[in-house]
Amino acid sequence: MEEHIVIIGNGISGITCARHIRKNSNKRITVISGETDHFFSRTALMYVYMGHMKFEHTQPYEKWFWEKNRIDLVRKYVSSINTDTSEVFFEDGNTLSYDKLVIATGSKPNKFGWPGQDLDGVTGMYHKQDLEKIEQYAPDNKTCKRAVIVGGGLIGIELAEMLHSRNIPTTFLVREDSFWDAVLPKGESAMINREITDNHVDLRLGLNLKEINTDENGKVKSITIAETGEEIACDLVGLTAGVAPNINFLKESGIETGRGVKVNRYLETNIPNIYAIGDCAEQNEAIDQRRPIEAVWYTGRMMGETLAQTICDNRVMYKPGHWFNSAKFFDIEYQTYGWVWAQPKDHEARFYWEHEDGKKCIHLNYNKNTLEFLGINNFGIRMRHEFFDKVLTDKKSVEYVLEHLADANFDPEFYKLHEKDIVEKFNLENGTNIQLKKKSWKRIFSKA
Ligand SMILES: Cc1cc2nc3c(=O)[nH]c(=O)nc-3n(C[C@H](O)[C@H](O)[C@H](O)COP(=O)(O)OP(=O)(O)OC[C@H]3O[C@@H](n4cnc5c(N)ncnc54)[C@H](O)[C@@H]3O)c2cc1C
């Protein structure tokens, strides 16, 4: 009999793992999820509300794919696990046995015990059910005269953009003094503050939610701000103050947890034959300078791919490579490669260039002693991932990166206009004489 691999969670990590186990073996595979029947792209949820696509379009695999690839799907919530008998217990009282178990249950929106956080009209923006609630309580600006978003991160700003697309007046309550300033340096954070207010969102910085107030039917009617006592009437409250691993059901299981499910570099838990991947996995020890929990799409995919190898008897260590991330803040695209912390560390030096329109910038981070390039933030400009992956691996200098900006760029028009300006500014500030080189993509990458 083939081994039975049970995967809890049909997000990017669970499904990638299932697909790669199938590529490499004939094992019996079951994927469980309480959220939806089929895998969908969570990052595209906002575009469903904005009318750019239908929900079906967020599902990259046709319905026949699962049967053809012998991946059994179970639409149920798991309530507990018995690791002694190797059984999964469902909320409906049924059970399922496994030989190997993969926990890939993702995240859930944080709630910090605010009074009123469970009222009707209060929602996170994570699961498909959240999107349905937003559609129900904020279909248009007649039903929803104002929305309040609590928590300024990547999901909060997406929700602001969603509501803006339906002209729903929105107040955005952000605890920090500037948007996402624990991650973004001052210049970039200020640029996004401006982008938010330019899009007519009522951005309230440095303020906290005190409570959410109810009407006589148990539906939200307003919120109160802690610092000022101001009451803001609203029909929808979006809670977007970060996410946490979705692992409550593991409490009595004996599987070691911290904030997430504790795993080693092979994504193995403390219990043999049980693994965790994706948003819910917490590395026992952080890898390099990365966080022990990384709630991003591509790392979930990488973990799924890596673990499939191990499950198919080729034990492979998880190696995420150089950090990168991307997002969109209304109309400003953001990419980061390597490390650009909100505050430079002692050995780091910075170079910041911002276009006069206030909607484009680059921020370079490098070692002030060795000049080794450490990372870049790009806002409003797209640069090539492969280029930065290579210069980080090869430990190139900041001067090298500036000389080869033409190789880094995606957008020849942009660089015709600005690359000279960028290099001149660097030379002026640092007393250097860096000269731009012509595009030499082939020369750089033929060696790779
Ligand atoms: C609005 C939004 C925008 C985002 N944008 C980006 C982006 O631009 N770039 C980026 O890198 N990342 C983005 N992310 C984060 C990214 O979507 C996640 O990192 C990724 O989806 C996590 O994948 P996962 O497979 O670990 O978990 P999930 O996608 O959360 O899948 C886990 C599944 O398991 C199910 N589940 C949980 N518990 C149980 C249980 N007990 N029983 C049964 N089923 C259960 C859940 O319902 C869910 O379906 C975004 C997230 C959101 C919400």
Side-chain angles (χ1 to χ4, degrees), residues 9 12-13 33-35 42-43 78 104-106 126 158 279 295-297:
I12 183 66
S13 58
S33 173
E35 183 180 8
R42 195 171 299 290
T43 57
V78 173
T105 48
Y126 190 91
E158 282 197 2
D279 278 23
V296 286
W297 183 264

Side-chain angles (χ1 to χ4, degrees), residues 177-179 189-198 203 205:
D177 292 329
S178 185
F179 178 78
S189 175
M191 179 179 289
I192 303 308
N193 291 341
R194 291 194 301 270
E195 181 70 359
I196 294 169
T197 48
D198 284 355
L203 177 64
L205 294 169

Side-chain angles (χ1 to χ4, degrees), residues 279-297:
D279 278 23
C280 70
E282 176 177 354
Q283 286 287 325
N284 286 331
E285 277 168 44
I287 302 170
D288 303 325
Q289 301 186 73
R290 304 175 79 105
R291 293 179 183 183
I293 300 176
E294 286 185 335
V296 286
W297 183 264

Side-chain angles (χ1 to χ4, degrees), residues 8-15 32-36 39-46 76-79 104-107 125-127 129 154-155 158 162 243 246-247 249 277-280 294-300 325-328:
I8 313 177
N10 70 351
I12 183 66
S13 58
I15 288 303
I32 302 166
S33 173
E35 183 180 8
T36 52
F39 168 61
F40 69 96
S41 169
R42 195 171 299 290
T43 57
L45 271 187
M46 68 183 293
K76 285 179 186 186
Y77 281 105
V78 173
S79 52
T105 48
S107 299
M125 170 54 204
Y126 190 91
H127 293 108
Q129 289 73 15
L154 295 178
I155 298 179
E158 282 197 2
M162 288 162 63
V243 296
N246 196 358
I247 56 165
F249 69 104
I277 53 176
D279 278 23
C280 70
E294 286 185 335
V296 286
W297 183 264
Y298 77 93
T299 53
N325 202 5
S326 64
K328 204 168 133 284

